[in-house]
Amino acid sequence: MRIGSRLAVAAATLSTVLAYTPCPILGPVFPAPSSLCDADSFQAALKNISTTLDYAGNTGKTPYGNIPSNATSFTVGVFSADETLFSHQYTSPWLKTSTQGATEVGVDSVFRIGSGSKLITTYLWLVEVGTKYWGHSITEFVPELAEAPQNCSASADPVDCIDWDEITLGALASHMAGVPRDYSTPLELLTQVASLPPQMFGAPALPASTFPPCGYNFTNACSEEQYADGLAAAHPIYAPYTTPIYSNAGFELLGFALANITGRSFPDMLQEDLFNKLHMADSSYFVPKNLTNAVMPGGPVNSFFVADLGGETPDGGMYSSQADLIKMGQSILNASLLSPTTIRQWMKPSTFTSQMNTGVGMPWEIWRVATPSNHIVDLYTKSGDLFSYSSHFVLIPDYNIGYVVLAAGKQTTSTVEQISDIMAATLVPALENTARAQSQENYAGVYKSANSSQASNMTLTTNTGEAGLVVKSWYSQGVNLMPVLAQLFVGALTPVDIRMFPTNLVQQVSPTKQRISYRLIVRALAEAPNGGLFSSDCEQWAMVDSKTYGNVGLDEVVFEVENGKATTVNPRAWRAVYNKTASVGEYVERGIM
Ligand SMILES: *[C@@H]1O[C@H](CO)[C@@H](O)[C@H](O)[C@H]1NC(C)=O
Ligand SMILES: *[C@@H]1O[C@H](CO)[C@@H](O)[C@H](O)[C@H]1NC(C)=O
Ligand SMILES: *[C@@H]1O[C@H](CO)[C@@H](O)[C@H](O)[C@H]1NC(C)=O
Ligand SMILES: *[C@@H]1O[C@H](CO)[C@@H](O)[C@H](O)[C@H]1NC(C)=O
Ligand SMILES: *[C@@H]1O[C@H](CO)[C@@H](O)[C@H](O)[C@H]1NC(C)=O
Ligand SMILES: *[C@@H]1O[C@H](CO)[C@@H](O)[C@H](O)[C@H]1NC(C)=O
Ligand SMILES: *[C@@H]1O[C@H](CO)[C@@H](O)[C@H](O)[C@H]1NC(C)=O
Ligand SMILES: *[C@@H]1O[C@H](CO)[C@@H](O)[C@H](O)[C@H]1NC(C)=O
Ligand SMILES: *[C@@H]1O[C@H](CO)[C@@H](O)[C@H](O)[C@H]1NC(C)=O
Ligand SMILES: *[C@@H]1O[C@H](CO)[C@@H](O)[C@H](O)[C@H]1NC(C)=O
């Protein structure tokens, strides 16, 4: 055939296009790995983490710098939607000498989670009222802010006055409101100038009325009215929706607003609708009454364990444990309190930051990891710090996995970051490799038309270090579809790379049987990046479903899967079902013709 001979020429040039890297769709590139407790490579990664964390505790050394392990205790847990995969505790010599609370860290030990509270506040918000208020203005729900223009009008002076009517709840939840970071915390200079003459700062003496009447050191929490009035009098930081500007105050306002909408108290909602429902018995809004499991290096007061943050609690004051945060993470991965769509919508960025690999959501701190396979894995995280405590809660939705790190002692911020560095550096490649190996085992092989007179078949594999399930060859009714698809999708008889990615559309046919949908990406192997911003693009997301036959996408593929193993593949536009006939070993070459 004419097509065949031209292809032979094209195939001969294959060796000159080695710079090709696949261009995956953002999101899962394989089905999330399962049975991780039995997956050897994943268990080896956990063993590695365990050894590294033991070494960090014993010596204070990590691959990412030193931690003060004589003073700082930590706890780390890794979880999937339905099991805890790993749990590691380290108790510092300092904590062992505590005269009150825990002297040994365990999965139920109670820590303060600092700004991890913001994530819980947002989760509670979604559980209570969903997403429908995100576009509403905060002034609808906080009367003091509605009245603020009487004293300071943004239309007259946008530099000095916050335009509260323009501040939406969604902007507050994503740090995009440009409002003050705090109102009256220990960072307020008053706490220092109270005992020192202001001249020491080269500053004029101010009338007492200038200083916040409450707050500062969390010993006399501000009332809602004091807080909102104080914020209303503060200067704006940035114009709303300019850029992410971290704001604790924004989450205190969200706490007020949620109570206003529901007519219930924030702590009651939190206790009844989140902590009780998820059996998070060691989590609380208020200072726990029973301090038996409390981790309090230096004692209850010095550690700040017992400091009541009042209205700041929704943004930084909550208490929790490794076991409880795992329950919360599992409820998110499992979509047990919200619909799967709401969860997916929630786990998305609202904005970038000035770093290429980070974004901000509600209030996710998103870290983008590029794996060697040109696959970007997004980590949806929330970190928190409060005096002696730091926390990091991390979900990796592409693999349906999460982990949590809690620490108490000294230099906990950097300690938690370093431990989280270890976790991410080891887990992300291990998850990708395990998912790829499971796809190879469960999907790779030769599929043939059940009707032998149709002479149709498809050979699938995975490539070492690459994302997605690769179509190695494909014949339909005796016709080689590789050149056909090259013509249709690339517009030329050129060697193509065809691989597919799962779409998150799954039909549970029976307890053991599923139909799982994928979409194919057809791309010229010659498409190596040339350095140009636009011409080097990897815009495959724009091409999905771009060719249809009888109203069905040429790129639509559905597998029937029994106990996780594919039994048939159905390239829908061809209206054909091919049965899996044999498995194949892993192909490392990219021969496609
Ligand atoms: C853990 O894995 C890293 C990266 O692969 C490796 O450098 C390190 O030696 C491993 N550590 C242990 C204790 O196995
Ligand atoms: C931990 O070790 C450092 C360095 O030796 C020392 O300065 C510090 O006081 C120790 N802290 C505690 C709580 O033992
Ligand atoms: C998550 O869902 C799985 C499967 O539906 C179920 O077996 C498991 O118990 C759930 N786990 C939690 C923590 O809800
Ligand atoms: C909610 O806020 C609005 C406007 O800010 C106010 O008029 C209303 O009284 C508040 N409702 C409750 C229940 O606090
Ligand atoms: C306006 O400012 C005065 C004096 O600072 C204050 O007492 C009052 O509560 C403010 N009113 C509003 C609506 O913010
Ligand atoms: C906190 O601030 C209040 C009011 O300024 C002061 O009376 C109190 O002594 C302070 N407490 C601490 C622990 O610094
Ligand atoms: C406090 O908590 C510990 C650990 O959970 C428990 O054993 C003890 O009974 C509790 N004490 C009270 C007074 O509830
Ligand atoms: C093809 O697979 C289907 C579904 O698994 C099965 O019912 C059918 O018998 C198979 N046909 C052949 C020829 O193997
Ligand atoms: C098998 O395929 C041939 C050719 O497409 C067709 O004529 C025949 O009806 C098919 N047989 C069955 C049982 O579907
Ligand atoms: C697939 O079908 C083509 C065309 O009928 C045939 O040449 C090829 O050998 C078949 N491949 C497999 C793996 O059965």
Side-chain angles (χ1 to χ4, degrees), residues 228-554:
D229 276 346
L231 264 190
H235 298 163
I237 314 304
Y238 263 71
Y241 281 112
T242 302
T243 186
I245 295 293
Y246 196 90
S247 174
N248 293 312
F251 282 80
E252 178 150 356
L253 294 180
L254 284 172
F256 298 157
L258 186 59
N260 177 293
I261 290 171
T262 62
R264 296 169 63 198
S265 89
F266 187 93
D268 285 354
M269 287 184 270
L270 182 65
Q271 189 61 46
E272 287 162 23
D273 300 339
L274 212 57
F275 294 157
N276 289 356
K277 265 197 189 143
L278 297 176
H279 310 290
M280 295 168 67
D282 293 310
S283 301
S284 62
Y285 180 96
F286 297 109
V287 182
K289 291 198 180 69
N290 182 344
L291 294 180
T292 307
N293 286 335
V295 180
M296 303 183 292
V301 173
N302 287 343
S303 64
F304 251 81
F305 191 88
V306 296
D308 174 7
L309 265 58
E312 296 267 5
T313 307
D315 68 67
M318 296 180 199
Y319 299 82
S320 197
S321 66
Q322 182 204 122
D324 278 7
L325 290 173
I326 287 178
K327 287 176 190 164
M328 186 177 87
Q330 288 179 324
S331 76
I332 297 173
L333 295 179
N334 247 11
S336 62
L337 297 183
L338 298 172
S339 78
T341 305
T342 303
I343 298 275
R344 287 193 291 268
Q345 182 184 359
W346 181 25
M347 283 202 266
K348 287 293 171 291
S350 303
T351 178
F352 305 118
T353 75
S354 57
Q355 280 192 98
M356 279 296 249
N357 64 340
T358 65
V360 181
M362 290 183 171
W364 300 106
E365 291 150 11
I366 305 161
W367 295 83
R368 319 202 75 196
V369 181
T371 71
S373 63
N374 196 28
H375 168 213
I376 292 170
V377 179
D378 291 329
L379 274 50
Y380 280 77
T381 86
K382 186 69 197 88
S383 60
D385 300 295
L386 186 71
F387 297 97
S388 313
Y389 302 91
S390 294
S391 67
H392 202 198
F393 178 85
V394 179
L395 294 179
I396 315 179
D398 287 359
Y399 295 114
N400 233 25
I401 289 284
Y403 67 85
V404 53
V405 184
L406 301 173
K410 305 218 154 120
Q411 294 171 39
T412 53
T413 305
S414 54
T415 299
V416 165
E417 285 170 355
Q418 287 156 317
I419 292 174
S420 209
D421 283 344
I422 294 167
M423 303 305 292
T426 314
L427 285 178
V428 172
L431 287 166
E432 177 149 333
N433 289 337
T434 305
R436 184 188 301 104
Q438 291 187 353
S439 273
Q440 181 65 23
E441 190 181 330
N442 296 331
Y443 289 80
V446 179
Y447 296 73
K448 290 187 179 173
S449 48
N451 180 342
S452 59
S453 66
Q454 283 181 348
S456 300
N457 61 60
M458 188 188 272
T459 302
L460 299 178
T461 189
T462 60
N463 288 342
T464 304
E466 293 184 3
L469 196 56
V470 176
V471 178
K472 218 174 125 53
S473 74
W474 183 4
Y475 290 85
S476 178
Q477 305 192 12
V479 177
N480 182 358
L481 289 187
M482 306 305 273
V484 172
L485 294 171
Q487 278 288 16
L488 287 170
F489 283 90
V490 181
L493 275 176
T494 180
V496 284
D497 173 46
I498 306 181
R499 60 185 66 221
M500 60 178 96
F501 304 102
T503 59
N504 245 336
L505 298 168
V506 177
Q507 180 191 14
Q508 195 74 41
V509 178
S510 76
T512 58
K513 201 166 169 185
Q514 294 172 312
R515 288 173 71 235
I516 302 185
S517 151
Y518 280 66
R519 286 283 164 157
L520 294 166
I521 297 292
V522 182
R523 201 159 165 257
L525 270 173
E527 265 181 45
N530 59 23
L533 179 59
F534 299 105
S535 56
S536 288
D537 71 12
C538 178
E539 265 194 312
Q540 298 307 318
W541 66 272
M543 300 308 294
V544 177
D545 198 42
S546 59
K547 303 277 184 297
T548 59
Y549 181 58
N551 204 25
V552 174
L554 295 190

Side-chain angles (χ1 to χ4, degrees), residues 68 70-71 94 410:
N70 60 345
W94 191 26
K410 305 218 154 120

Side-chain angles (χ1 to χ4, degrees), residues 144 147-151 225 229 232:
E144 294 81 8
E147 291 158 15
Q150 293 169 17
N151 278 358
E225 194 183 347
D229 276 346

